[in-house]
Amino acid sequence: MSSVLTVRGGVPLTGRVKVRGAKNLVPKAMVAALLGNEPSVLRNVPEIKDVEVVTSLLQIHGVTVLKDPVTGDLTLDPQNAKTAPSTAIDAHAGDSRIPILFCGPLIHAIGEAFIPDLGGCKIGDRPIDYHLNVLRQFGAVVEKRPGGIHISAPKGLHGTKISLPYPSVGATEQVLLAATRADGITELTGAATEPEIVDLISVLQKMGAIISVQTDRTIRIEGVKELRGYSHRALPDRNEAASWASAALVTRGDIYVAGASQRDMMTFLNTYRKMGGGMDINDDGIRFYHQGGKLNPLVLETDVHPGFMTDWQQPLVVALTQAEGVSIVHETVYENRFGFTEALVRMGANIQVHRECLGSVPCRFGQRNFLHSAVVSGSTQLKGTDIDIPDLRGGFSHLIAALAATGTSRVTGIDVINRGYERFTSKLEGLGADFDVQNSRKSTPAAQISR
Ligand code: EPZ
């Protein structure tokens, strides 16, 4: 059942939201529990679709997943892990990108894995060549089969030297989850070092893994025979926090984001301040607010950590449409992450996308026909329109644009936002947004939320 939002714009978002565990860590920590010889406990778990998908995939593989009805904490017990029926696995095809990370843990647990075709946001081709090459280097046999990929390792997995052509978050996680119980030492160069990666390393170290991160993006793992369970509180979701911060600028509002961590958002906070955004940082969260004056345009380039995170780009582009002057955004992580700007242009934004690398350094996509640079001229008055949400971050960007626009917007496909933003409609309601939610089936009375 898909829901439709009717949004009446022009109301500043003011109030408090709380961000919980990071979408880009929690599902990975759940998969890591498969590597242990006893139950693990994961805290600060958000109610998002990616967690549901991984819970279901773990359960069909014999892992019991118990959710505390009050705190939402998960207890994951991998002691009866088993091969899953392929029909049950197929049912998850297209749901998420996380299943590819089951390979190493399932090989260690039951000797093989069948990974369904992956889902995830359409922000580029999203290949998994790095993942498959890494698994082969550990000694796995990779076979493409109808509906997915079969991975096995008759002689188990052995340590190896791996150099990633690009600091891929997923491929780095693939190495970590395969190497910790592989036979021997693994050295990974060109690794991703995002806060979510460091949190996953913390989880594995609690289980008994021996992992060191060196200053030159080299990660060294000494394989161990057995791992215990872990007890871990997931780091907060910096991407959701940044999304609400952009929403405060776009709607000229004032939002306190409880749980936001300054340490994980340093580059975002510098950029926000340069735009003229207001912020008050305390031990429990960060207040983000529009200061009433003009917003400043920016020249911005996304990059791997500690650079400006690609997941922060889309909501901030909406804020740049409200800045006085010309901004330039060079997206260097994904080749096709400006598709969401079409709807913003229909709403009155002045955004042009270009094939050239409009940034300090040429990136992988230069002259390869990808529209991966944007020029934003502001400020422009946004007008409500019909919007069909394309992907997670683009969808959130459309929502905040509709909330700032004059007039009414009809937003369809909002269920994709449930993948990464926990209870976002109730958060919007709590911030004073003026909207109704209807489900698209005529037979059921609409669940009206209106103010
Ligand atoms: C993770 O995706 C995040 N998703 C993304 O967040 C995030 O944008 C991305 O890391 C970068 O930080 C999750 O953690 C679930 P990558 P991932 O491998 O691991 C290329 C969001 O909105 N590549 O670092 O899939 C790839 O095409 C999502 O929360 C290959 O070429 O990202 C891309 O250009 C969006 N071959 C670049 O590397 C591969 O085998 C970075 O991808 C793998 C990746």
Side-chain angles (χ1 to χ4, degrees), residues 15-19 240-242 244-245 255-260 284-288:
R16 179 186 187 277
V17 294
K18 176 157 180 54
V19 293
E240 181 177 352
W244 291 114
I255 302 175
Y256 181 73
V257 183
D284 305 315
I286 303 175
R287 175 193 171 212
F288 295 101

Side-chain angles (χ1 to χ4, degrees), residues 413-436:
I414 60 167
D415 301 328
V416 78
I417 300 183
N418 287 321
R419 277 203 43 223
Y421 293 95
E422 181 181 36
R423 294 198 293 272
F424 75 94
T425 47
S426 54
K427 286 175 180 170
L428 284 178
E429 194 198 351
L431 292 171
D434 183 3
F435 67 101
D436 300 323

Side-chain angles (χ1 to χ4, degrees), residues 112 270 294 323:
E112 64 171 344
N270 290 335
K294 291 183 177 177

Side-chain angles (χ1 to χ4, degrees), residues 23-25 28 50 97-98 121 123 125-131 166-171 173 194 239 309-311 333-335 337 364-365 392-393 419:
K23 164 185 98 70
N24 293 348
L25 176 272
K28 290 75 172 283
D50 272 7
R97 290 182 63 72
I98 312 294
C121 296
I123 50 180
D125 182 31
R126 310 300 292 276
I128 55 170
D129 52 327
Y130 300 168
H131 293 257
Y166 183 81
S168 153
V169 166
E173 292 161 341
E194 273 66 8
N239 294 338
M309 175 80 181
T310 175
D311 299 343
V333 178
Y334 288 107
E335 64 271 30
R337 202 161 194 177
R364 294 166 294 150
F365 309 126
L392 178 65
R393 308 296 174 189
R419 277 203 43 223

